[in-house]
Amino acid sequence: MKKIIIPFVVLIIVIAAALYGLNNYQQTQKKQLEQASHLLASCVNQGILSLFRLQANDWNLRPDYYLQQQRILNANIEALPQKILDGRSFKKWSFALKVCDKLTVNSNLQHVTIFRPLADLASSEMSDATTFKSRKSLRKRKKTIGALRESAQAADRYLKDLRSDINTQIQAQPFSGDEKEFLLQQINKEVLDYYQHGKFSLENANVYLERLSSFYQLMAENPKAYTVRSGSLYFYDRNLRSKVEGLNRIILQGETTFFSNFTQILMQKQIQNPDL
């Protein structure tokens, strides 16, 4: 009888130990995945907060602000692991770090695409009347306007592109299918659900840029019809003067609205998550 009981007891102990080990392993994996998801949510949130700071900038006063924000965002991202990691590093953590690094690089590139052309537009070089006749200056202005068109498109797609980038970077790492789904859900829950597309209008931006392009083209094509005296335009051609003054009036009236358009790329739905 004892010969039967002893193996049975040993079997029970082995099963109990295996179940304990399995439960401990599952709990550890769950905790690690939660840490990885919180890292990614915080990473995404830092990128969005950087966008909000850029939205609020006065590009006439601080034309290089996007460069400052790059440094700030990089520093904030670099500080996240120490704030979030509990214990030793693990595989899922290293995967999440790679995703975060990629997202940060792409956020900085996106922010440069959107905001650097605004700084160029706000520069005195764009409105320098003494260069209106110059074909070289016209080419430079057209290049800036072209960059602004791309800027407006990027601003209009910002949230959509961000979601796509997050998905792409997570899918590229060797998380399991369930883990990838969990990470995406948590990023939405902790961060993206707090934001929505703002009142940015691609149509209004393009209308303004079209008028601006027409103005510079008109000035370059009629170099003999006007001159610059003490920084002001003097026209020999009354018809051209009428066209230019009308167009310029509309452009000046729309300038503030155009720049304000870029303050509304994203909007908050509710109070920001304090844990990020």
Side-chain angles (χ1 to χ4, degrees):
M1 186 70 176
K2 289 182 179 180
K3 291 181 180 181
I4 297 175
I5 293 175
I6 292 174
F8 183 71
V9 171
V10 171
L11 179 61
I12 291 176
I13 293 173
V14 170
I15 293 173
L19 290 174
Y20 175 80
L22 177 62
N23 181 67
N24 186 61
Y25 173 79
Q26 290 175 336
Q27 290 299 317
T28 299
Q29 293 296 304
K30 180 182 178 182
K31 181 180 178 181
Q32 290 180 350
L33 186 60
E34 288 173 348
Q35 283 194 69
S37 71
H38 187 54
L39 171 67
L40 291 180
S42 300
C43 181
V44 170
N45 194 61
Q46 287 299 324
I48 291 177
L49 292 178
S50 182
L51 173 76
F52 269 81
R53 288 189 288 268
L54 287 163
Q55 284 186 169
N57 185 49
D58 185 331
W59 295 100
N60 288 286
L61 297 178
R62 296 188 295 181
D64 294 333
Y65 189 56
Y66 62 92
L67 296 175
Q68 180 183 338
Q69 276 306 307
Q70 280 187 347
R71 294 190 290 270
I72 292 173
L73 177 57
N74 290 338
N76 289 342
I77 294 299
E78 189 176 343
L80 286 179
Q82 187 176 355
K83 292 180 180 179
I84 297 173
L85 181 61
D86 182 14
R88 299 174 62 182
S89 183
F90 47 90
K91 282 187 176 181
K92 291 185 183 67
W93 183 259
S94 65
F95 300 157
L97 285 174
K98 290 179 182 178
V99 173
C100 183
D101 287 344
K102 286 284 189 180
L103 291 175
T104 303
V105 168
N106 291 345
S107 285
N108 278 326
L109 289 173
Q110 189 77 328
H111 295 168
V112 168
T113 298
I114 293 172
F115 295 106
R116 183 167 60 184
L118 291 183
D120 293 337
L121 179 61
S123 69
S124 58
E125 186 178 6
M126 283 290 285
S127 56
D128 183 4
T130 63
T131 64
F132 283 166
K133 297 180 181 183
S134 168
R135 287 286 175 176
K136 182 179 179 181
S137 294
L138 177 62
R139 287 193 295 271
K140 193 168 183 179
R141 289 185 173 102
K142 282 187 173 182
K143 184 177 179 181
T144 297
I145 292 172
L148 283 163
R149 294 188 194 281
E150 292 182 11
S151 167
Q153 291 171 3
D156 187 59
R157 298 192 314 262
Y158 189 86
L159 191 57
K160 181 180 179 180
D161 286 350
L162 177 59
R163 289 183 181 275
S164 178
D165 190 30
I166 292 167
N167 182 68
T168 297
Q169 300 306 330
I170 288 177
Q171 296 299 334
Q173 295 300 319
F175 295 108
S176 71
D178 289 342
E179 289 170 346
K180 291 174 181 178
E181 184 176 349
F182 177 81
L183 292 171
L184 291 170
Q185 288 176 348
Q186 288 303 110
I187 292 172
N188 283 328
K189 181 180 178 181
E190 292 187 41
V191 181
L192 296 182
D193 287 350
Y194 287 82
Y195 299 100
Q196 64 185 18
H197 180 73
K199 296 180 180 179
F200 180 88
S201 171
L202 178 60
E203 180 181 358
N204 289 345
N206 284 334
V207 167
Y208 178 82
L209 292 174
E210 186 61 36
R211 288 170 176 167
L212 195 63
S213 179
S214 297
F215 172 81
Y216 291 130
Q217 186 73 35
L218 191 62
M219 299 305 289
E221 288 178 347
N222 297 275
K224 296 181 179 181
Y226 67 94
T227 188
V228 180
R229 298 177 181 175
S230 302
S232 299
L233 294 172
Y234 178 83
F235 291 88
Y236 306 118
D237 185 324
R238 291 185 177 181
N239 289 332
L240 179 65
R241 176 182 177 178
S242 178
K243 288 180 182 179
V244 169
E245 288 183 346
L247 191 55
N248 191 44
R249 189 181 306 111
I250 295 173
I251 290 170
L252 290 175
Q253 289 173 349
E255 182 177 330
T256 300
T257 302
F258 178 79
F259 279 97
S260 296
N261 202 19
F262 284 82
T263 68
Q264 305 175 90
I265 297 169
L266 282 192
M267 296 177 67
Q268 287 180 294
K269 289 183 182 178
Q270 49 188 297
I271 298 174
Q272 177 63 40
N273 190 330
D275 295 330
L276 296 173

